Amino acid sequence: MLGYQNKVLRINLDNKTYSTEPLNMDWAEKYIGGKGLGIKYIYEELTPGVDPLSPDNKLMFMTGPLTGTPAPCSGKLAIISKSPATGTILDCSIGGHSAIKVKYAGYDAIMFEGKLDQPGYISIEDDKIQFIDASDLWGKGSHETEGILADKYGTDTTILSIGPAGENLLPISCINSDYYRQAGRGGIGAVMGSKNLKAVTIKGTGAVTVDDSKKMVRKIAEILREDTTTEDNIWAYTDGTPGLVEACNDGGILPYKNFSDTTDVKWESYNSESIQANKHGKKGCGSCGLGCGNFTKIGDAICEGPEYETIAGAGPNCGISDLETIVKFNQVCDDLGMDTISASGALSYAMEMTEKGIHDFGITFGDKEKLIDYLYLMAKKEGVGADLVMGVKAMAAKYGGEDMAMHSKGLEFPLYDPRGSWAMGLAYAVSDRGGCHMRSYPAAEEVYAASIPPYTAEGKGKLVYDLAIYNAVKFSLIFCDFWALGLDRMAEVMTLATGKQFSEEDMNQIAERVIHLARAFNQREGFDRKDDTVPKRILNEVLKSGAAAGQKIPVGDFNKMLDEYYEVLGWSKEGKVPDSILSQL
Ligand code: SF4
């Protein structure tokens, strides 16, 4: 198939060697690229039960057949491994320009194996691969690291790096690129840190060949005109995700003080208008028709963003409404290489535990100075920071307050209270990498569009399945989450790029395969129905205020949603993928 480079670069860090091999095109036909194909490689190559922080875990950068083409929103890189935070499969996607450089350097994917004997980084310039000492970079923040390497290699080189959080193997660490873009969740930065790999620099001077470039360019122009830069979509450019603050507050799903309630009377302090008033520029990823990045600067606090999750996590969920603190939180987390969702989740849990007198973490809701100070302690695992970076599941196991530990499978919740969007609760519970909103995002239907009643279990298993199918294709092709077109459009573009006919039904089948395979990986690691759950707070405590006041997800309804989800996928009552499906994978 065209669109691919038909080459995987395999880098052995143990003995500082590398080799190339053809991309497995049988797998590419079945799993496309990105999330799907990356999971297939990791599933096949990892020994079950492998320690995610051992040299035997692998780290894979994966592109897709559209990477490097002008298809709108196609510039993201998938990074796949086994998660140190959850022990599940882990795939993240990172914006910026790294995916395009990987492809232009001549590769579909790069697999990192083993461990460097001392801190180093890898320089990739087309087929020239160098292993370079990074002892002078080790300990530095991602921003400084990227600046030093950009000075050395120039602006046509893209850089992926980790900060101190990844070096110190924190399960809440991320990989950074383009200064403010992250592969954020599941501790993917710690996998890189465990390999003593501080950074990867990539320069590519090649190109991508598609099957019918003229038709493809015409199709892309049509998509841009009719579907991407439209009135309905332009909010992504003008407001970006901060626009969700108002929608979530109005809909009763904006978490407040560690999900103890929803809605915040001070929401206008950190809504989209407030961010627009402090906007200092725009930035987008490669091959993007939208360019959602907003630079915000208040005082000496500056970041690209903040995105909704960071605003809600460091803001109302920590009892804070000061936008400068939120921007600073974003800036510091990015530099230290920490996931803003998990870091704010750990801090809000610590605040509630302290206020309720269960364990004194020395921080309470609204303490904006300590919110920032604690990040530095966390990155270095110093004092109370050493506890906070364990993640809320491990903190609750050590100090109690399990009902207040907002996570699924050990991954801290994104910032949508499921009691106001029941299907969101199911989406968190069944997500392949733990509590995550990127596998299925039913809040859009249940709350923003209000097209489906939110407080019922009826049809929610099927709803979460349908959305998961859509996202599995989106992240395998790899489109940005802002790609809002249907499977039919994805099949059309895929056909024009590869020269192989793909239908909407084919895309549907590929997505099911990806979902089954991710589940099979987790099943092999011992996960089943008992792990597909949400904290008791969501099932037992009703919300006190806001549009969803009086709501919880009753246990019976939660189980009904879960049963339906398993049934649609053909899994057993215990959530197991049957042998008949496993053998087809
Ligand atoms: S919409 Fe935003 S996140 Fe998505 S590709 Fe464009 S700039 Fe990147």
Side-chain angles (χ1 to χ4, degrees), residues 162 165-167 169-170 173-175 183 185-194 337:
I162 56 168
E167 294 171 11
L169 311 183
L170 308 191
S173 58
C174 56
I175 297 174
R185 308 233 63 202
I188 195 84
V191 178
M192 211 160 135
S194 72

Side-chain angles (χ1 to χ4, degrees), residues 9-75:
L9 173 63
R10 199 173 280 274
I11 296 183
N12 187 314
L13 300 167
D14 286 330
N15 50 24
K16 297 186 186 165
T17 57
Y18 63 91
S19 59
T20 60
E21 66 198 39
L23 183 73
N24 187 318
M25 292 310 284
D26 285 346
W27 292 355
E29 264 190 50
K30 292 192 172 87
Y31 296 93
I32 306 177
K35 174 187 175 89
L37 190 53
I39 291 177
K40 178 65 178 169
Y41 269 90
I42 291 292
Y43 179 88
E44 295 295 341
E45 295 196 13
L46 285 198
T47 308
V50 68
D51 175 353
L53 296 177
S54 73
D56 293 334
N57 193 12
K58 299 191 183 190
L59 181 73
M60 190 167 212
F61 293 175
M62 178 63 83
T63 66
L66 301 175
T67 312
T69 75
C73 305
S74 66

Side-chain angles (χ1 to χ4, degrees), residues 72-76 94-96 181 236-237 283-293 304 307 479-483:
C73 305
S74 66
K76 293 214 164 184
I94 185 166
R181 299 278 170 181
Y237 173 76
K283 198 174 170 200
C285 305
S287 298
C288 175
L290 287 168
C292 71
E304 187 186 331
E307 301 297 340
F479 284 122
C480 163
D481 203 32
F482 282 127
W483 171 277

Side-chain angles (χ1 to χ4, degrees), residues 249 254 256 262-268 270 315-316 320-321:
N249 196 62
L254 179 74
Y256 185 65
T262 59
T263 69
D264 180 11
V265 289
K266 296 182 184 158
W267 66 275
E268 284 169 309
Y270 47 79
I320 288 168
S321 55

Side-chain angles (χ1 to χ4, degrees), residues 354-400:
T354 305
E355 289 205 353
K356 292 218 160 118
I358 301 171
H359 180 79
D360 186 2
F361 288 96
I363 188 167
T364 51
F365 288 116
D367 192 338
K368 52 188 191 179
E369 278 80 30
K370 280 193 183 160
L371 184 89
I372 306 299
D373 292 347
Y374 271 31
L375 294 177
Y376 293 100
L377 296 178
M378 289 161 76
K380 289 189 213 148
K381 281 172 139 174
E382 272 178 20
V384 67
D387 277 335
L388 290 166
V389 294
M390 296 192 301
V392 297
K393 183 182 178 191
M395 286 162 81
K398 187 170 175 187
Y399 295 111

